[in-house]
Every structure is written in structure tokens, then in C-alpha cells.
Amino acid sequence: PFFLASPLETDPGALGAIDDWLLEWKWDGIRLQLIRRAGEIALWSRGEERLDGRFPEIEAAAATLPRSAVLDGELLGWRDDHDMPLPFTALQTRIQRRKPGPKALADTPARVLAYDLLELDGEDLRARPLGERRALLEGLLAAHRDPRIALSPRVTAARWEDADALRLDARAREVEGLMLK
């Protein structure tokens, strides 16, 4: 199952020290689980829909992962020469096509920003601490080196007030806000 974000209903200061938290952007894409097991690739949406065939560049990148894995992340339209994702509306044109043609692939190339590593070489990692899973995910993706599957970057803030200022500027960055983990 997907771990879904929910709004923070309290003052973030009540959460304790900001250094005890992982901050990441809340991307505006399609929540995705990418599964690579025994040479098979599957892409699952949060709505439990298989997306196989719709994002062949992601399937090709997943096929070259150095180990079997289940990744939780966000599927985004993203051109290699851009530092921000394409608007969600661009990605919507890809969702509707079961087998996108060369023009759709060129106009809206896809990328997965991975949030978490749920399984590695058949071992369920969900009970392990987030920091440990994140370190394993970083290692897996560093060995892979394919920009079509990348690590969702950490957002750094020295204080909760700084994090709030970043959150308020989120739309200018083409993101929906901040996730606190």
C-alpha cells in the first residue's frame, strides 16, 4: 500500500527538532510504485492501475536496475535540460495513451523521483527505519546512474520557519508543498 501525505494540522515546532525530520518536495505527478522482480517490470498507480506500456522509457530504465526492487515515488514529465518538472497537464497527455508514439515520448519524457525503497532483492524493508531505507535507495540509484529514475532530493532548512518559507514558495518551483517524514 501507498503511504499518503496528509496536511499538518499543528504548529511544526510541536514536532521537535527539524533535524530529526526528512523534508522533501511534494511533487505534482502520478504516485507510482515501480516493481522490478525476476526480470519483470510493473508500474502501479496509487489508484491500483497498471501503467505498463504507457511509460516505456521508465520500464527500460527499471529493467537496468542492478538489483530487484520495489520503489515508491512520483512519476513526472521532465525534460533532461530542465531543472523543474513539466506541468501535470503535460503528463496527463501521456496517461491516456496505452502505447505513446514518438511525438508524445519526445514532447513529454518521463522521470521517476524515488521517495522510498520498499523491497530489495525480495526482502520487505517497510519495517526498517526510514533512514536505513533511504541509504539503501541512495546506494541502489547511485549504482544505477540513469536519470530517468532518480532520488527525490532532500530539502534543507535550518529552522521550521525556514521550511515554512520554502513551502510558501512551492508553486514557483512547480511543486505542491513540502512533505515531512
Side-chain angles (χ1 to χ4, degrees), residues 25-45:
W25 293 118
K26 186 173 185 322
W27 301 100
D28 188 13
I30 300 168
R31 190 67 179 276
L32 180 83
Q33 283 186 0
L34 183 155
I35 301 167
R36 179 185 178 271
R37 288 186 187 129
E40 298 288 324
I41 307 297
L43 304 177
W44 284 94
S45 75

Side-chain angles (χ1 to χ4, degrees), residues 52-162:
D52 304 4
R54 297 178 192 186
F55 299 94
E57 69 272 49
I58 301 302
E59 292 176 48
T64 63
L65 282 167
R67 300 167 73 179
S68 293
V70 176
L71 307 178
D72 177 18
E74 197 83 11
L75 179 70
L76 300 156
W78 200 310
R79 292 193 183 104
D80 287 340
D81 59 345
H82 285 76
D83 60 354
M84 290 190 290
L86 296 169
F88 182 73
T89 53
L91 190 61
Q92 284 180 308
T93 63
R94 291 282 308 271
I95 298 167
Q96 299 166 1
R97 297 181 181 172
R98 295 205 181 265
K99 295 207 180 250
K103 181 170 177 15
L105 292 170
D107 289 347
T108 310
R111 178 181 292 184
V112 171
L113 290 184
Y115 297 132
D116 204 350
L117 182 61
L118 307 178
E119 181 181 298
L120 186 61
D121 295 330
E123 180 186 349
D124 185 347
L125 304 177
R126 292 175 294 172
R128 292 194 188 186
L130 175 60
E132 188 177 327
R133 294 191 317 268
R134 174 92 177 185
L136 289 167
L137 177 61
E138 288 173 1
L140 177 72
L141 295 179
H144 188 234
R145 301 179 124 176
D146 187 323
R148 295 173 296 183
I149 304 173
L151 185 66
S152 180
R154 289 178 184 264
V155 175
T156 56
R159 304 170 307 138
W160 286 115
E161 294 81 11
D162 300 333

